[in-house]
Every structure is written in C-alpha cells, then in structure tokens.
Coordinates of all heavy atoms in Angstrom, one line a residue:
M295 N -2.3 -2.9 12.6 CA -1.3 -2.5 11.6 C -1.7 -1.3 10.8 O -2.9 -1.2 10.5 CB -0.9 -3.7 10.7 CG 0.2 -3.4 9.7 SD 0.8 -4.9 8.9 CE -0.5 -5.2 7.8
R296 N -0.8 -0.4 10.6 CA -1.1 0.8 9.8 C -0.2 0.7 8.5 O 0.9 0.2 8.5 CB -0.9 2.1 10.5 CG -1.7 2.3 11.7 CD -1.5 3.6 12.4 NE -2.1 4.7 11.7 CZ -3.4 5.1 11.7 NH1 -4.2 4.4 12.5 NH2 -3.8 6.1 11.1
V297 N -0.7 1.3 7.4 CA 0.1 1.3 6.2 C 0.1 2.7 5.6 O -0.9 3.5 5.7 CB -0.5 0.3 5.2 CG1 -1.9 0.6 4.8 CG2 0.3 0.2 3.9
K298 N 1.2 3.1 5.0 CA 1.3 4.3 4.3 C 2.1 4.1 3.0 O 2.9 3.2 2.9 CB 2.1 5.4 5.1 CG 1.3 5.9 6.3 CD 2.1 7.0 6.9 CE 1.3 7.5 8.1 NZ 1.9 8.7 8.7
V299 N 1.8 4.9 2.0 CA 2.6 4.9 0.7 C 3.4 6.2 0.7 O 2.9 7.3 0.9 CB 1.7 4.9 -0.5 CG1 2.5 5.0 -1.8 CG2 0.9 3.6 -0.5
D300 N 4.7 6.0 0.6 CA 5.6 7.1 0.5 C 5.5 7.7 -0.9 O 6.0 7.1 -1.9 CB 7.1 6.7 0.7 CG 8.1 7.8 0.8 OD1 7.8 8.8 0.1 OD2 9.1 7.6 1.4
A301 N 4.9 8.9 -1.0 CA 4.6 9.5 -2.3 C 5.9 9.8 -3.1 O 5.9 9.9 -4.3 CB 3.7 10.7 -2.2
D302 N 6.9 10.1 -2.4 CA 8.2 10.4 -3.0 C 8.8 9.2 -3.7 O 9.6 9.4 -4.7 CB 9.2 11.1 -2.0 CG 8.7 12.4 -1.6 OD1 8.0 13.1 -2.3 OD2 9.1 12.8 -0.4
R303 N 8.6 8.1 -3.1 CA 9.2 6.8 -3.7 C 8.3 6.2 -4.8 O 8.8 5.6 -5.7 CB 9.4 5.8 -2.6 CG 10.6 6.1 -1.7 CD 10.7 5.0 -0.7 NE 12.0 5.1 0.1 CZ 13.1 4.4 -0.1 NH1 13.1 3.5 -1.1 NH2 14.1 4.6 0.6
C304 N 7.0 6.2 -4.6 CA 6.1 5.6 -5.5 C 6.3 6.0 -6.9 O 6.3 7.2 -7.2 CB 4.6 5.8 -5.1 SG 3.4 5.1 -6.2
Q305 N 6.4 5.0 -7.8 CA 6.5 5.3 -9.3 C 5.4 4.7 -10.1 O 5.4 4.6 -11.3 CB 7.9 4.7 -9.8 CG 9.1 5.3 -9.2 CD 9.2 6.8 -9.5 OE1 8.9 7.2 -10.6 NE2 9.6 7.6 -8.5
G306 N 4.3 4.3 -9.4 CA 3.1 3.8 -10.1 C 3.2 2.4 -10.7 O 2.6 2.2 -11.6
H307 N 4.0 1.6 -10.1 CA 4.1 0.2 -10.6 C 2.9 -0.6 -10.4 O 2.7 -1.7 -11.1 CB 5.3 -0.5 -10.0 CG 6.6 0.0 -10.3 ND1 7.2 0.0 -11.6 CD2 7.5 0.7 -9.6 CE1 8.3 0.6 -11.6 NE2 8.6 1.1 -10.4
A308 N 2.0 -0.2 -9.5 CA 0.7 -0.8 -9.4 C 0.7 -2.3 -8.8 O -0.4 -2.9 -8.9 CB -0.1 -0.7 -10.7
M309 N 1.8 -2.8 -8.4 CA 1.8 -4.1 -7.8 C 1.0 -4.2 -6.6 O 0.3 -5.2 -6.2 CB 3.3 -4.5 -7.5 CG 4.2 -4.5 -8.6 SD 3.7 -5.4 -10.0 CE 4.1 -7.1 -9.4
C310 N 0.9 -3.1 -5.8 CA 0.2 -3.0 -4.6 C -1.3 -3.2 -4.9 O -2.0 -3.9 -4.1 CB 0.4 -1.7 -3.9 SG 0.2 -0.2 -4.9
T311 N -1.8 -2.6 -5.9 CA -3.3 -2.7 -6.2 C -3.6 -4.1 -6.7 O -4.7 -4.5 -6.5 CB -3.7 -1.7 -7.3 OG1 -3.0 -1.9 -8.5 CG2 -3.5 -0.3 -6.8
L312 N -2.6 -4.8 -7.3 CA -2.9 -6.2 -7.6 C -2.9 -7.1 -6.4 O -3.8 -8.0 -6.3 CB -1.8 -6.7 -8.6 CG -1.8 -6.1 -10.0 CD1 -0.6 -6.6 -10.8 CD2 -3.1 -6.5 -10.7
A313 N -2.0 -6.8 -5.5 CA -1.9 -7.6 -4.2 C -3.1 -7.3 -3.3 O -3.7 -8.3 -2.7 CB -0.6 -7.3 -3.5
C314 N -3.5 -6.1 -3.2 CA -4.6 -5.8 -2.3 C -5.5 -4.6 -2.8 O -5.3 -3.5 -2.4 CB -4.1 -5.5 -0.9 SG -5.4 -5.3 0.3
P315 N -6.3 -4.9 -3.8 CA -7.1 -3.8 -4.4 C -8.1 -3.2 -3.4 O -8.7 -2.1 -3.7 CB -7.9 -4.5 -5.5 CG -7.8 -6.0 -5.2 CD -6.6 -6.2 -4.4
E316 N -8.4 -3.9 -2.3 CA -9.3 -3.4 -1.3 C -8.8 -2.1 -0.6 O -9.6 -1.3 -0.2 CB -9.6 -4.4 -0.2 CG -10.3 -5.7 -0.8 CD -9.4 -6.7 -1.3 OE1 -8.2 -6.4 -1.4 OE2 -9.8 -7.9 -1.6
L317 N -7.5 -2.0 -0.5 CA -6.9 -0.8 0.2 C -6.1 0.1 -0.7 O -6.0 1.3 -0.4 CB -6.0 -1.3 1.3 CG -6.8 -1.8 2.6 CD1 -5.8 -2.1 3.7 CD2 -7.8 -0.9 3.1
F318 N -5.4 -0.4 -1.7 CA -4.5 0.4 -2.5 C -5.3 0.9 -3.8 O -5.8 0.0 -4.6 CB -3.3 -0.3 -2.9 CG -2.4 -0.7 -1.7 CD1 -2.5 -1.9 -1.1 CD2 -1.5 0.3 -1.3 CE1 -1.7 -2.2 0.0 CE2 -0.7 0.0 -0.2 CZ -0.8 -1.3 0.4
L319 N -5.3 2.2 -4.0 CA -5.9 2.7 -5.2 C -4.8 3.6 -5.9 O -3.9 4.0 -5.3 CB -7.1 3.6 -4.9 CG -8.2 2.9 -4.1 CD1 -9.3 3.9 -3.7 CD2 -8.8 1.8 -5.0
L320 N -5.0 3.8 -7.2 CA -4.1 4.7 -8.0 C -4.8 6.0 -8.2 O -5.9 6.1 -8.6 CB -3.7 4.0 -9.3 CG -2.9 2.7 -9.2 CD1 -2.5 2.2 -10.6 CD2 -1.7 2.9 -8.3
N321 N -4.0 7.0 -8.0 CA -4.5 8.4 -8.3 C -4.7 8.6 -9.8 O -3.8 8.3 -10.6 CB -3.5 9.4 -7.7 CG -3.9 10.8 -7.8 OD1 -4.4 11.3 -8.8 ND2 -3.8 11.5 -6.6
D322 N -5.8 9.1 -10.2 CA -6.1 9.3 -11.6 C -5.2 10.3 -12.2 O -4.9 10.2 -13.4 CB -7.6 9.7 -11.8 CG -8.5 8.6 -11.6 OD1 -8.1 7.4 -11.7 OD2 -9.7 8.9 -11.3
D323 N -4.7 11.2 -11.5 CA -3.9 12.3 -12.0 C -2.4 11.9 -12.3 O -1.9 12.0 -13.4 CB -3.9 13.5 -11.1 CG -5.3 14.1 -11.0 OD1 -6.0 14.1 -12.0 OD2 -5.6 14.7 -9.9
D324 N -1.8 11.3 -11.3 CA -0.4 11.0 -11.4 C -0.1 9.5 -11.4 O 1.1 9.1 -11.6 CB 0.5 11.7 -10.4 CG 0.1 11.3 -8.9 OD1 -0.6 10.3 -8.8 OD2 0.6 12.0 -8.0
G325 N -1.1 8.7 -11.2 CA -0.9 7.2 -11.3 C -0.2 6.6 -10.1 O 0.2 5.5 -10.0
H326 N 0.0 7.5 -9.0 CA 0.7 7.0 -7.8 C -0.4 6.4 -6.9 O -1.6 6.7 -6.9 CB 1.4 8.1 -7.1 CG 2.6 8.6 -7.9 ND1 3.5 9.5 -7.4 CD2 3.1 8.2 -9.1 CE1 4.5 9.7 -8.3 NE2 4.3 8.9 -9.3
A327 N 0.1 5.5 -6.0 CA -0.8 4.8 -5.1 C -1.1 5.6 -3.9 O -0.3 6.4 -3.5 CB -0.2 3.5 -4.7
Y328 N -2.3 5.4 -3.4 CA -2.7 5.9 -2.1 C -3.6 4.8 -1.4 O -4.1 3.9 -2.1 CB -3.4 7.2 -2.1 CG -4.8 7.2 -2.8 CD1 -5.9 7.1 -2.1 CD2 -4.8 7.3 -4.2 CE1 -7.2 7.1 -2.8 CE2 -6.1 7.2 -4.9 CZ -7.2 7.1 -4.1 OH -8.4 7.1 -4.8
V329 N -3.7 4.9 -0.1 CA -4.5 3.9 0.6 C -5.8 4.5 1.0 O -5.9 5.7 1.4 CB -3.7 3.4 1.9 CG1 -2.6 2.5 1.5 CG2 -3.3 4.5 2.8
L330 N -6.8 3.7 0.9 CA -8.2 4.0 1.3 C -8.3 4.3 2.8 O -9.0 5.2 3.2 CB -9.1 2.9 0.9 CG -10.5 3.2 0.5 CD1 -10.6 4.3 -0.5 CD2 -11.2 1.9 0.0
D331 N -7.6 3.5 3.5 CA -7.6 3.6 5.0 C -6.3 3.2 5.6 O -5.8 2.0 5.3 CB -8.7 2.7 5.5 CG -9.0 2.9 7.0 OD1 -8.2 3.7 7.7 OD2 -9.9 2.2 7.5
E332 N -5.6 4.0 6.3 CA -4.3 3.6 6.8 C -4.4 2.5 7.8 O -3.4 1.8 8.0 CB -3.6 4.9 7.5 CG -3.1 5.9 6.4 CD -2.3 7.0 7.1 OE1 -2.0 6.9 8.3 OE2 -1.9 7.9 6.3
Q333 N -5.5 2.4 8.5 CA -5.7 1.3 9.5 C -6.1 0.1 8.7 O -7.2 0.1 8.1 CB -6.7 1.7 10.5 CG -6.9 0.8 11.6 CD -5.6 0.7 12.5 OE1 -5.1 1.7 12.9 NE2 -5.1 -0.5 12.8
V334 N -5.2 -0.9 8.8 CA -5.5 -2.1 7.9 C -6.5 -3.1 8.7 O -6.1 -3.5 9.8 CB -4.2 -2.9 7.7 CG1 -4.4 -4.1 6.8 CG2 -3.2 -2.0 7.0
P335 N -7.6 -3.3 8.1 CA -8.5 -4.3 8.7 C -7.8 -5.7 8.8 O -7.0 -6.1 7.9 CB -9.7 -4.4 7.7 CG -9.6 -3.1 6.9 CD -8.2 -2.8 6.8
E336 N -8.1 -6.4 9.8 CA -7.4 -7.7 10.1 C -7.4 -8.6 8.9 O -6.4 -9.3 8.6 CB -8.2 -8.3 11.3 CG -7.5 -9.6 11.8 CD -6.3 -9.3 12.6 OE1 -6.2 -8.2 13.2 OE2 -5.4 -10.1 12.6
Q337 N -8.5 -8.7 8.2 CA -8.6 -9.7 7.1 C -7.7 -9.3 5.9 O -7.4 -10.2 5.0 CB -10.0 -9.9 6.6 CG -10.6 -8.7 5.9 CD -11.4 -7.8 6.8 OE1 -11.1 -7.6 8.0 NE2 -12.5 -7.2 6.3
F338 N -7.1 -8.1 5.9 CA -6.3 -7.7 4.8 C -4.8 -7.6 5.1 O -4.0 -7.3 4.3 CB -6.7 -6.4 4.2 CG -8.1 -6.4 3.6 CD1 -9.0 -5.3 3.9 CD2 -8.5 -7.4 2.9 CE1 -10.3 -5.3 3.4 CE2 -9.8 -7.4 2.3 CZ -10.7 -6.4 2.6
T339 N -4.4 -8.0 6.3 CA -3.0 -7.8 6.8 C -2.0 -8.6 5.9 O -1.0 -8.1 5.5 CB -2.8 -8.2 8.2 OG1 -3.2 -9.5 8.5 CG2 -3.5 -7.2 9.2
E340 N -2.4 -9.8 5.5 CA -1.5 -10.6 4.7 C -1.3 -10.1 3.3 O -0.3 -10.0 2.7 CB -1.9 -12.1 4.7 CG -0.9 -13.0 4.1 CD 0.6 -12.8 4.6 OE1 0.8 -12.6 5.8 OE2 1.5 -12.8 3.7
K341 N -2.4 -9.6 2.8 CA -2.4 -9.0 1.4 C -1.6 -7.7 1.4 O -0.9 -7.4 0.5 CB -3.8 -8.7 0.9 CG -4.6 -10.0 0.6 CD -6.0 -9.6 0.3 CE -6.4 -9.9 -1.2 NZ -7.8 -9.6 -1.5
V342 N -1.7 -7.0 2.5 CA -0.9 -5.7 2.6 C 0.6 -6.0 2.7 O 1.4 -5.4 2.2 CB -1.4 -4.9 3.8 CG1 -0.5 -3.7 4.1 CG2 -2.8 -4.3 3.4
R343 N 0.9 -7.1 3.5 CA 2.3 -7.5 3.6 C 2.8 -7.9 2.2 O 4.0 -7.6 1.8 CB 2.5 -8.7 4.6 CG 2.3 -8.3 6.0 CD 2.6 -9.4 6.9 NE 2.0 -9.3 8.2 CZ 2.4 -8.5 9.2 NH1 3.5 -7.8 9.0 NH2 1.8 -8.4 10.3
Q344 N 2.0 -8.6 1.5 CA 2.4 -9.0 0.1 C 2.7 -7.8 -0.7 O 3.6 -7.7 -1.5 CB 1.3 -9.8 -0.6 CG 1.3 -11.3 -0.3 CD 0.2 -12.0 -1.0 OE1 -0.4 -11.5 -1.9 NE2 -0.2 -13.2 -0.5
A345 N 1.8 -6.8 -0.6 CA 1.9 -5.6 -1.4 C 3.3 -4.9 -1.0 O 4.0 -4.4 -1.9 CB 0.8 -4.6 -1.1
Q346 N 3.6 -4.9 0.3 CA 4.8 -4.2 0.7 C 6.0 -5.0 0.2 O 7.0 -4.3 -0.3 CB 4.8 -4.2 2.2 CG 5.8 -3.3 2.8 CD 7.0 -4.0 3.4 OE1 7.0 -5.2 3.7 NE2 8.1 -3.2 3.6
R347 N 6.0 -6.3 0.2 CA 7.1 -7.1 -0.3 C 7.3 -6.9 -1.8 O 8.4 -7.0 -2.4 CB 6.9 -8.5 0.0 CG 7.2 -8.9 1.5 CD 7.3 -10.4 1.6 NE 6.1 -11.1 1.3 CZ 5.2 -11.5 2.2 NH1 5.3 -11.1 3.4 NH2 4.1 -12.1 1.8
G348 N 6.1 -6.7 -2.5 CA 6.1 -6.7 -4.0 C 6.4 -5.3 -4.6 O 6.6 -5.2 -5.8
C349 N 6.5 -4.3 -3.8 CA 6.7 -2.9 -4.4 C 8.2 -2.8 -4.8 O 9.1 -2.8 -3.9 CB 6.3 -1.8 -3.4 SG 6.7 -0.2 -4.0
P350 N 8.5 -2.6 -6.0 CA 9.9 -2.5 -6.5 C 10.6 -1.2 -6.0 O 11.8 -1.1 -6.0 CB 9.7 -2.4 -8.0 CG 8.3 -2.7 -8.4 CD 7.5 -2.5 -7.2
E351 N 9.8 -0.2 -5.5 CA 10.4 1.0 -5.1 C 10.5 1.1 -3.5 O 10.9 2.1 -3.0 CB 9.6 2.2 -5.6 CG 9.4 2.3 -7.1 CD 10.7 2.5 -7.8 OE1 11.7 3.0 -7.2 OE2 10.7 2.1 -9.0
D352 N 10.0 0.0 -2.9 CA 10.0 0.0 -1.4 C 9.3 1.2 -0.8 O 9.7 1.8 0.1 CB 11.5 0.0 -0.9 CG 11.6 -0.7 0.5 OD1 10.6 -1.3 0.9 OD2 12.6 -0.5 1.1
A353 N 8.2 1.5 -1.5 CA 7.4 2.7 -1.1 C 6.3 2.5 -0.1 O 5.7 3.5 0.4 CB 6.8 3.3 -2.4
I354 N 6.1 1.2 0.3 CA 5.0 0.9 1.2 C 5.6 0.7 2.6 O 6.5 -0.1 2.8 CB 4.2 -0.3 0.8 CG1 3.6 0.0 -0.6 CG2 3.2 -0.7 1.8 CD1 2.9 -1.1 -1.3
Q355 N 5.1 1.5 3.6 CA 5.6 1.4 4.9 C 4.5 0.8 5.8 O 3.4 1.2 5.8 CB 5.9 2.8 5.4 CG 6.9 3.6 4.6 CD 7.0 5.0 4.8 OE1 6.0 5.7 5.1 NE2 8.2 5.6 4.8
L356 N 4.9 -0.1 6.6 CA 4.0 -0.8 7.6 C 4.4 -0.4 9.0 O 5.6 -0.3 9.3 CB 4.1 -2.3 7.4 CG 3.7 -2.8 6.1 CD1 3.7 -4.4 6.1 CD2 2.3 -2.4 5.7
F357 N 3.4 -0.2 9.8 CA 3.6 0.2 11.2 C 2.8 -0.8 12.1 O 1.6 -0.9 11.9 CB 3.2 1.6 11.5 CG 3.8 2.6 10.6 CD1 3.3 3.0 9.4 CD2 5.0 3.2 11.0 CE1 3.9 3.9 8.6 CE2 5.7 4.1 10.1 CZ 5.1 4.5 8.9
E358 N 3.5 -1.6 12.9 CA 2.8 -2.6 13.7 C 2.2 -1.9 14.9 O 2.7 -2.1 16.0 CB 3.8 -3.7 14.1 CG 4.5 -4.4 12.9 CD 3.5 -5.2 12.1 OE1 2.4 -5.6 12.6 OE2 3.8 -5.6 11.0
V359 N 1.1 -1.2 14.7 CA 0.4 -0.6 15.9 C -1.0 -1.0 15.9 O -1.6 -1.2 14.8 CB 0.6 0.9 15.9 CG1 2.0 1.3 16.3 CG2 0.2 1.6 14.6
Ligands
F3S448 FE1 3.7 2.7 -6.1 FE2 4.9 0.5 -5.3 FE3 2.3 0.5 -5.6 S1 5.7 2.0 -6.8 S2 1.9 2.0 -7.2 S3 3.5 1.7 -4.1 S4 3.7 -1.1 -6.1

C-alpha cells in the first residue's frame, strides 16, 4: 500500500499524526502533513487506514499497490 497527502486539501488538523506518528509528520513552516515514506510498511497499514478515515479534509489518499 502507498499513501499520499493531498497538499491542496490538508488543513493541518493533525489527526493523521495522532493515528500514525511513525509515517505522518507536520511541516514546521505551514503545519501541513507529509509522509516520511509513501510505501507503507506492513505493520502500519491499519494505523494508516485509521489516519485516512480520520482526516476531516479527506486529504489522505491510499493506493493498494
Ligand atoms: Fe492534514 Fe488531514 Fe492530517 S487535514 S494534517 S492530512 S488529518
């Protein structure tokens, strides 16, 4: 699975970093999220799905590849 944050949608709600701090980080400059690695390690797939469900802006995109 791969994950991306849509920078145009992200408003910095930070729910993603709460759900999966191992992969989602917030940019110090604008407070928007970015991912450390687009390729999701197996052990974090459920946390990343939680992050995607929890984002109020629907900014997190998952790709089942
Ligand atoms: Fe942005 Fe959604 Fe996370 S708005 S900071 S991707 S919870």
Side-chain angles (χ1 to χ4, degrees):
M295 185 166 74
R296 297 181 75 82
V297 61
K298 288 186 181 186
V299 174
D300 184 335
D302 292 333
R303 283 180 173 260
C304 176
Q305 297 296 321
H307 292 291
M309 305 304 286
C310 52
T311 60
L312 290 176
C314 188
E316 295 87 348
L317 284 188
F318 294 95
L319 300 175
L320 294 183
N321 188 308
D322 284 339
D323 293 330
D324 60 12
H326 290 184
Y328 63 97
V329 288
L330 207 52
D331 186 357
E332 286 187 7
Q333 187 66 49
V334 179
E336 189 70 32
Q337 69 266 35
F338 297 137
T339 55
E340 189 47 40
K341 289 172 113 178
V342 169
R343 287 187 204 281
Q344 274 179 20
Q346 196 253 344
R347 287 194 295 267
C349 176
E351 305 296 335
D352 205 15
I354 297 172
Q355 302 165 322
L356 299 182
F357 305 90
E358 301 291 341
V359 289

